[in-house]
Structure formats: structure tokens, C-alpha cells
Amino acid sequence: MHFKGGTRLRNDLAQLLQLDPEEVCNEFGTMSCSESVHTVALGGLDPYRNQIFESSPTTGLSTTLIVERIALQACRERAERDVAGGEANPLIWRDVATSQGRAASLDALYASALGRPPAARERDGFESLYAQALAEGPDVAEAETGWATLSCLAVVTSTEFLFY
């Protein structure tokens, strides 16, 4: 198994979540996380600035944190667009207030990201996460956006998605 690396990860997230690659993750809104800020930690090269001409055969200690940061930013962007109403026709997160809507949303996410439906235990875990999100506070819209973000994060940071 091989880690996707920064560019492939960014492009896969952009395609999956229908975001511009530059929207997937940017430091201070100006520098790409995968192409300039965290290039080496994600398995890339940096011959001009840091004289790194060969990529490491293994991932570094910070790679998991960086992957989660990139995925969280991308998932949050898609969740806000879909759940908070930024998109007229939501891509993944449709009607998350109902269990049928959440199930359909998870099916769409799993089909696009992993090419398979979620297992019953996975679906139960996401339903439990939804109940916890609602219990956290009175703002239902915020809980739904948070649930969609974290559900997406769980799927796109899985070994199944990150490695090929």
C-alpha cells in the first residue's frame, strides 16, 4: 500500500467534494497546504527551498495531522455549502435532519469516496455521532453541519481512502 501524497490527496478531495483544488486547504488563504506549505511532510520534494531531492520512503510524524487538517478544511467547506444552504442543490449532505436523509447522504459519500456502501456498523456509528452532535447544544443547524463535517472527515481520513 502507498500513501497518496499531497497532490493526489488534494485532487481526490477536490473531485470528491466538487471544490476547486485551491479551496481544499490554504494557509492564510494564500498558500496551498499540499503544494507549498506541507509538501515534504506529504511525501513531496522541495529541491529549491530546502534541497530535498528525494521523497522519504515513509510518512513523517506530522503527516497524519496535516492530512487531517487538509481533510477537515475541505469537509467543512462542503458541509457548510450543503447543510447551511450555500448550494441550491446540495452535493452530498441532503436533508440531514432525517434518518433517511442522513442514510442517503452517507451512501453518496461512501459511493464516491470508497466505491462501496457503508456497513451496518459504520452507519450505526454515524447515527450515534449525530445524536451526540445534537446533544452538544441547542443550535440544530450547527450540529448538522458539524455532523456532516466529522462524518466526511472520518471517511476521507480512513486507510481505505488515503492509501492505494
Side-chain angles (χ1 to χ4, degrees):
M1 288 190 351
H2 299 284
F3 173 61
K4 287 182 177 186
T7 302
R8 183 174 286 137
L9 175 64
R10 182 202 62 199
N11 292 343
D12 284 357
L13 286 170
Q15 182 179 6
L16 170 68
L17 303 173
Q18 290 188 4
L19 300 171
D20 183 280
E22 296 304 314
E23 294 176 301
V24 170
C25 181
N26 276 298
E27 293 289 337
F28 306 111
T30 60
M31 297 173 58
S32 170
C33 293
S34 61
E35 297 301 306
S36 57
V37 179
H38 303 295
T39 306
V40 174
L42 293 170
L45 309 175
D46 192 3
Y48 301 111
R49 288 187 300 172
N50 294 314
Q51 286 71 49
I52 297 176
F53 301 100
E54 293 182 26
S55 62
S56 173
T58 62
T59 57
L61 292 175
S62 63
T63 303
T64 54
L65 297 173
I66 294 165
V67 166
E68 286 180 356
R69 180 180 182 159
I70 291 169
L72 182 62
Q73 218 171 337
C75 288
R76 180 71 182 190
E77 183 66 32
R78 174 46 52 201
E80 286 178 350
R81 290 182 185 187
D82 284 359
V83 178
E87 296 277 323
N89 188 18
L91 176 67
I92 296 172
W93 308 111
R94 302 171 188 259
D95 191 24
V96 296
T98 68
S99 62
Q100 287 180 325
R102 289 189 299 279
S105 297
L106 287 172
D107 287 344
L109 178 63
Y110 267 75
S112 296
L114 305 178
R116 66 172 178 86
R121 67 176 171 69
E122 291 169 325
R123 192 179 304 280
D124 292 345
F126 288 114
E127 279 300 312
S128 175
L129 178 63
Y130 183 76
Q132 289 174 1
L134 286 179
E136 288 293 318
D139 190 346
V140 174
E142 185 176 305
E144 290 173 350
T145 302
W147 174 80
T149 300
L150 294 177
S151 296
C152 172
L153 181 68
V155 173
V156 301
T157 58
S158 68
T159 303
E160 196 172 348
F161 183 80
L162 294 176
F163 291 84
Y164 66 96

